[in-house]
Amino acid sequence: MDFRKWTCCSCCLVVAALCLLTGRGGLGRSFSQDVVWIWSGAVTTHSVVVKAKLQPGIGRAKLRVNPTEEPEAVFEEPGDGYSEADPNGVVVFSVTGLVPNTEYRYVIETSGDTGQPGRFHNFADGPMSSRIGFASCATTGSNHRTFATLRDLKPLLCIHMGDFHYEDIERNDPSLFRSAYDRVLTSPRQGGFYRSTPIAYVWDDHDFGPNDADGTSPSKRAALRSYQQCVPHYPLSPVDGEVRTIQQAFTVGRVRFLLTDSRAERVSEGKPDGPQKTMLGKQQLEWLRRELRAVRERYPLVVWVNGVPWITKSQPGSGHGWEPYNYERTVIADMIKEFGLVDRLLMLSGDGHMVAIDDGTNSNYASDRAPHERAFPVIHAAPLDRYPRIKGGPYSHGAFAPGRWLPFLKAKQFGLMDIEEDGRRIRVELSCRDSEGNILKGLVLRMECDLDGCRVIE
Ligand SMILES: [Fe+2]
């Protein structure tokens, strides 16, 4: 081997080693000749949405779907011919007519190639026991084994609470957001996870715009446009024909999930608190009111996925989470109380790069609360792969961010929600996990719910 070849090989080895050490890799790498990425979401009892990005020049594709246990029972979407990709290579498949509570395998087919298969399990038409993963915050394109751990735990779906990437995009250019989706979804472990697990995703600041982004973000239109283009999502709620926020709702068994958007209509944090200062925006707040009002009659449990810290009593003046939006927080807390949902609600959150559990001891922000009056449990689960940081509190079961005194080392953790339904009662176990899937000591909460309400059980 001559010196130049030796140097070249050495460089390659060094780069490969750096990729392994930093947990990065796979940037721009696709999993098949014709397909850049593919993932699923918007799962219901009878339907799913699959979105894929094709390589330049491919132009069209079809989706082949079959129940995992019936490899022969393949059906195609579209039934005839192929679906055309949009000018950016994104192709959308809306699959309906599925048999409830069935595991399906899907594969995309172009004229010359078949990509790696994905899978999803759709929801039961009635009570359903399930496992749901929830988390937020991963360095753009992270390839950490946390994602393989999550995949192996086989959650029914992954609720991603934001900071899907950290590109902090300030320019109103959808192609920058599309590149960010490409970098995440072509990372081998993340891409593999999202192929095997449907997504329910709402953004936080770093994946909506720049750090601490709000409704004035210059890249807001591009964020909204590329989200609708690339992410398989549940139905959104346009106002006068225009999507301004990405809140969405869905039901698994008898549990209702509400995901809110805490960025796109947020008034700047520095404005004085009061009736004009909003985190959700007027229309989204009305949406939340309608959804919560409807819950009482229909569901024993509602899970509000609220991206940012709700409890901020231990850090007055920190500006974290809902603290600068206390007026609206009280409006919502009063709403929850008025609808009789204090003992029917569970909150999942991200943003703080920590796991934390509060059993309701510290989450009461209703205007007429008595001293020590409890409210609903709050569970934080983050980061998937990002620097540790504790926000808000206090939390009855504590907060944990590994290596928080060595903040240059990334933390990797997530949450699991295991639901057991027998038609009468719902038992829920919420657990905070490390990157290997181990339960973090003391960070487990169990609840039991029926139509009379939920109780925290130990
Ligand atoms: Fe984050």
Side-chain angles (χ1 to χ4, degrees):
M1 184 181 288
D2 70 29
F3 177 74
R4 273 178 308 171
K5 278 186 181 167
W6 182 87
T7 310
C8 180
C9 287
S10 302
C11 287
C12 291
L13 284 171
V14 169
V15 170
L18 278 173
C19 284
L20 279 173
L21 282 171
T22 57
R24 294 181 72 116
L27 305 183
R29 191 183 301 165
S30 59
F31 69 86
S32 88
Q33 188 185 314
D34 288 356
V35 184
V36 182
W37 48 253
I38 187 166
W39 58 337
S40 71
V43 178
T44 68
T45 51
H46 293 86
S47 63
V48 69
V49 173
V50 175
K51 293 195 180 183
K53 182 166 182 177
L54 308 180
Q55 297 285 8
I58 300 303
R60 59 186 204 158
K62 65 168 68 182
L63 192 74
R64 294 163 64 87
V65 184
N66 65 276
T68 306
E69 294 191 352
E70 294 178 70
E72 306 306 317
V74 177
F75 64 95
E76 294 179 347
E77 178 61 38
D80 242 358
Y82 289 83
S83 287
E84 299 294 324
D86 70 16
N88 305 116
V90 178
V91 60
V92 180
F93 304 97
S94 293
V95 182
T96 55
L98 301 173
V99 178
N101 202 10
T102 304
E103 177 159 307
Y104 286 91
R105 179 182 181 277
Y106 63 86
V107 71
I108 194 166
E109 189 183 299
T110 59
S111 49
D113 186 24
T114 305
Q116 291 177 35
R119 63 160 288 282
F120 65 88
H121 191 122
N122 62 336
F123 304 161
D125 194 4
M128 180 181 196
S129 295
S130 61
R131 160 172 284 176
I132 289 167
F134 57 102
S136 68
C137 306
T139 296
T140 310
S142 163
N143 194 36
H144 196 267
R145 65 178 179 279
T146 311
F147 294 99
T149 302
L150 257 165
R151 183 201 60 211
D152 293 345
L153 286 163
K154 292 202 158 103
L156 180 71
L157 75 159
C158 171
I159 296 178
H160 199 301
M161 302 177 286
D163 291 354
F164 189 69
H165 58 77
Y166 274 77
E167 293 303 286
D168 292 330
I169 297 164
E170 293 190 54
R171 269 196 10 238
N172 195 32
D173 179 352
S175 74
L176 299 176
F177 286 90
R178 284 194 296 270
S179 298
Y181 287 121
D182 291 350
R183 287 186 65 191
V184 176
L185 294 171
T186 57
S187 151
R189 289 195 180 107
Q190 281 203 77
F193 173 53
Y194 295 125
R195 268 200 307 282
S196 67
T197 312
I199 191 86
Y201 157 51
V202 282
W203 52 42
D204 197 19
D205 53 343
H206 297 281
D207 47 348
F208 169 68
N211 186 29
D212 288 334
D214 57 35
T216 64
S217 168
S219 59
K220 175 174 168 171
R221 301 275 158 238
L224 283 160
R225 207 170 123 198
S226 51
Y227 178 93
Q228 291 173 79
Q229 181 185 24
C230 299
V231 178
H233 56 78
Y234 288 95
L236 304 177
S237 303
V239 178
D240 300 329
E242 184 193 0
V243 172
R244 298 181 189 171
T245 45
I246 57 164
Q247 77 275 12
Q248 45 203 284
F250 58 92
T251 306
V252 180
R254 292 188 304 152
V255 183
R256 184 72 168 160
F257 290 83
L258 310 178
L259 280 61
T260 48
D261 172 352
S262 56
R263 294 292 164 182
E265 286 287 276
R266 170 192 285 241
V267 164
S268 296
E269 195 181 304
K271 291 259 161 65
D273 201 5
Q276 303 307 317
K277 190 171 181 183
T278 176
M279 182 184 291
L280 300 183
K282 195 166 159 236
Q283 269 97 12
Q284 187 179 191
L285 186 61
E286 275 315 302
W287 175 90
L288 184 62
R289 187 190 302 277
R290 282 196 304 277
E291 284 288 338
L292 289 173
R293 188 185 285 128
V295 160
R296 179 79 198 169
E297 302 304 316
R298 297 191 213 160
Y299 308 102
L301 176 64
V302 56
V303 178
W304 176 17
V305 179
N306 153 57
V308 298
W310 176 260
I311 303 172
T312 57
K313 291 167 185 163
S314 68
Q315 296 188 40
S318 65
H320 290 161
W322 281 89
E323 199 209 20
Y325 301 84
N326 188 52
Y327 184 91
E328 189 168 83
R329 175 167 56 183
T330 304
V331 167
I332 297 171
D334 286 350
M335 200 190 289
I336 290 168
K337 198 166 182 177
E338 181 196 336
F339 297 146
L341 297 174
V342 173
D343 63 352
R344 296 269 195 95
L345 191 137
L346 166 67
M347 179 180 283
L348 305 183
S349 287
D351 184 40
H353 293 178
M354 60 181 188
V355 288
I357 294 182
D358 187 79
D359 61 7
T361 302
N362 301 294
S363 61
N364 200 332
Y365 283 93
S367 52
D368 65 348
R369 67 185 180 277
H372 310 299
E373 183 183 329
R374 295 162 63 95
F376 44 82
V378 176
I379 321 295
H380 277 265
L384 281 160
D385 184 6
R386 198 68 188 170
Y387 307 103
R389 188 173 182 197
I390 287 179
K391 286 186 180 178
Y395 303 102
S396 63
H397 288 44
F400 178 65
R404 58 184 292 216
W405 309 119
L406 297 167
F408 50 87
L409 291 180
K410 288 179 189 165
K412 293 104 183 174
Q413 41 196 16
F414 59 88
L416 286 183
M417 178 177 181
D418 285 295
I419 304 170
E420 248 183 67
E421 271 206 70
D422 62 10
R424 202 167 57 86
R425 262 193 315 234
I426 301 176
R427 287 172 194 269
V428 180
E429 181 182 283
L430 295 132
S431 56
C432 302
R433 308 281 180 134
D434 67 14
S435 63
E436 304 296 332
N438 302 309
I439 294 180
L440 291 161
K441 197 164 176 258
L443 289 170
V444 179
L445 187 80
R446 295 185 184 87
M447 299 167 65
E448 193 174 275
C449 306
D450 52 33
L451 280 174
D452 292 327
C454 297
R455 296 155 295 283
V456 171
I457 50 175
E458 291 304 332

